[in-house]
Amino acid sequence: MRFLIFAIFSFNYGNIYSQWYLLNEVEHVGCLNDIDFTNSNNGYLVADNLIGITNNAGLDWVLDTSILGNFRVVDFINLDTGMVCCDPASGADVLITFDGGNIWTFPLNDKEVNIADIEFTKKGDVVIIESIDGLFSISHLVKNYYTENTDFYILSSGQPPADVTFPSADTGYICGELYDAAYYSSVFKTVDGGQNWYTTENMYGPIFCINFPSSQVGYGVGWEHRIWKTVDYGESWDMMPFNFGFDVFELGFSLGKVYFFNVTVGFLETGVYNFDNEICEI
């Protein structure tokens, strides 16, 4: 049986030249899929058939393997209330907690969809982006802590959506290959909590992920190893210049997720692949 090691690292912000160091490692079958902290001490991680909780900034983890599920996303809106999700093929394995992860329950509204991502908004609503039979990209709003279904909103036809984020309770963004019939765009925006979405011809940029460190400024990863940035609340996007010191196209360079701690400090997941598609360097 093959085991993967969960390596939890910490970074000292007090010194700009500080290094990452190993805090904890745990043997477990499967992959570490997502991690979320509600404050500097309390955090959660999910993996296949595992939910982990720490209350001391990751020094120690309590790992619950009693609940089986292909958990890919964990999202908390406060210290007590959070969700984990889900098997991408069926949309099953959605769990919710109201006591900081001590008890997890399957909501009555669990359903079968091809979920790409979820966002738990500050109002207790859940915005799900998904595809239907590979034909339509849709947003699905479930209100009142995943108990009250609302209608689907069709974003576009064709490729599935990739990422959803809500900088505030009412304002959110979805990115993907969402080429609308009227516009060649990749970003949709909502200002009413996910009930309605819109796009314009200026909202092309992020395809694979999107992140907003503030309500006005956002970043995303698009095609051709490019980072995109908005400074006008997602209404238009500009491609950012970069210089990694080598020809990214010849080396099989790949960009993953982008995450900004604030409007000036950000992190970018990158990789270089050899001709066998094996990661050579991160």
Side-chain angles (χ1 to χ4, degrees), residues 137-200:
S137 295
I138 66 172
S139 170
H140 181 208
L141 176 63
V142 187
K143 301 181 73 65
N144 193 21
Y145 301 95
Y146 208 77
T147 60
E148 299 176 14
N149 259 316
T150 64
D151 292 335
F152 293 100
Y153 188 95
I154 298 179
L155 302 167
S156 66
S157 59
Q159 298 295 323
D163 197 15
V164 57
T165 186
F166 271 71
S168 67
D170 292 318
T171 303
Y173 303 87
I174 296 172
C175 71
E177 295 182 71
L178 307 175
Y179 309 136
D180 185 78
Y183 304 108
Y184 189 77
S185 59
S186 64
V187 177
F188 276 73
K189 179 179 178 180
T190 180
V191 292
D192 58 8
Q195 297 184 64
N196 298 282
W197 298 82
Y198 71 90
T199 189
T200 71

Side-chain angles (χ1 to χ4, degrees), residues 6-264:
F6 285 172
I8 310 301
F9 293 87
S10 177
F11 185 79
N12 182 3
Y13 285 97
N15 185 344
I16 192 172
Y17 299 106
S18 298
Q19 300 296 316
W20 294 89
Y21 62 94
L22 181 65
L23 285 180
N24 201 345
E25 61 181 16
V26 178
E27 288 188 344
H28 176 68
V29 177
C31 297
L32 174 61
N33 294 325
D34 197 14
I35 191 167
D36 188 31
F37 274 77
T38 55
N39 56 31
S40 58
N41 289 314
N42 296 91
Y44 303 84
L45 62 81
V46 291
D48 297 338
N49 305 318
L50 180 145
I51 301 174
I53 302 175
T54 181
N55 58 13
N56 59 2
L59 291 174
D60 301 290
W61 291 84
V62 177
L63 304 177
D64 185 354
T65 58
S66 64
I67 304 175
L68 301 181
N70 297 333
F71 305 128
R72 297 185 300 132
V73 179
V74 56
D75 195 6
F76 271 74
I77 60 173
N78 54 45
L79 287 173
D80 298 318
T81 308
M83 295 186 68
V84 298
C85 166
C86 23
D87 186 333
S90 68
D93 305 334
V94 176
L95 298 175
I96 191 168
T97 181
F98 296 100
D99 62 1
N102 293 307
I103 299 176
W104 295 91
T105 58
F106 288 89
L108 296 178
N109 191 57
D110 202 16
K111 59 190 183 67
E112 292 188 0
V113 291
N114 294 314
I115 293 177
D117 194 17
I118 66 168
E119 181 77 4
F120 205 179
T121 74
K122 300 298 183 182
K123 296 190 296 185
D125 298 337
V126 180
V127 176
I128 306 167
I129 57 173
E130 54 200 90
S131 63
I132 299 179
D133 298 327
L135 299 177
F136 297 99
S137 295
I138 66 172
S139 170
H140 181 208
L141 176 63
V142 187
K143 301 181 73 65
N144 193 21
Y145 301 95
Y146 208 77
T147 60
E148 299 176 14
N149 259 316
T150 64
D151 292 335
F152 293 100
Y153 188 95
I154 298 179
L155 302 167
S156 66
S157 59
Q159 298 295 323
D163 197 15
V164 57
T165 186
F166 271 71
S168 67
D170 292 318
T171 303
Y173 303 87
I174 296 172
C175 71
E177 295 182 71
L178 307 175
Y179 309 136
D180 185 78
Y183 304 108
Y184 189 77
S185 59
S186 64
V187 177
F188 276 73
K189 179 179 178 180
T190 180
V191 292
D192 58 8
Q195 297 184 64
N196 298 282
W197 298 82
Y198 71 90
T199 189
T200 71
E201 61 184 3
N202 297 318
M203 297 171 70
Y204 177 85
I207 298 287
F208 305 106
C209 73
I210 193 168
N211 178 254
F212 275 76
S214 73
S215 61
Q216 181 177 354
V217 179
Y219 298 85
V221 175
W223 286 114
E224 297 182 348
H225 319 293
R226 296 295 187 176
I227 304 298
W228 293 77
K229 180 179 181 179
T230 178
V231 294
D232 59 1
Y233 306 91
E235 296 295 330
S236 65
W237 295 80
D238 294 315
M239 185 187 298
M240 299 184 66
F242 68 87
N243 181 11
F244 290 101
F246 52 82
D247 189 336
V248 297
F249 296 100
E250 291 184 1
L251 291 178
F253 182 77
S254 175
L255 292 184
K257 290 186 176 181
V258 60
Y259 172 78
F260 270 76
F261 181 73
N262 53 42
V263 294
T264 58

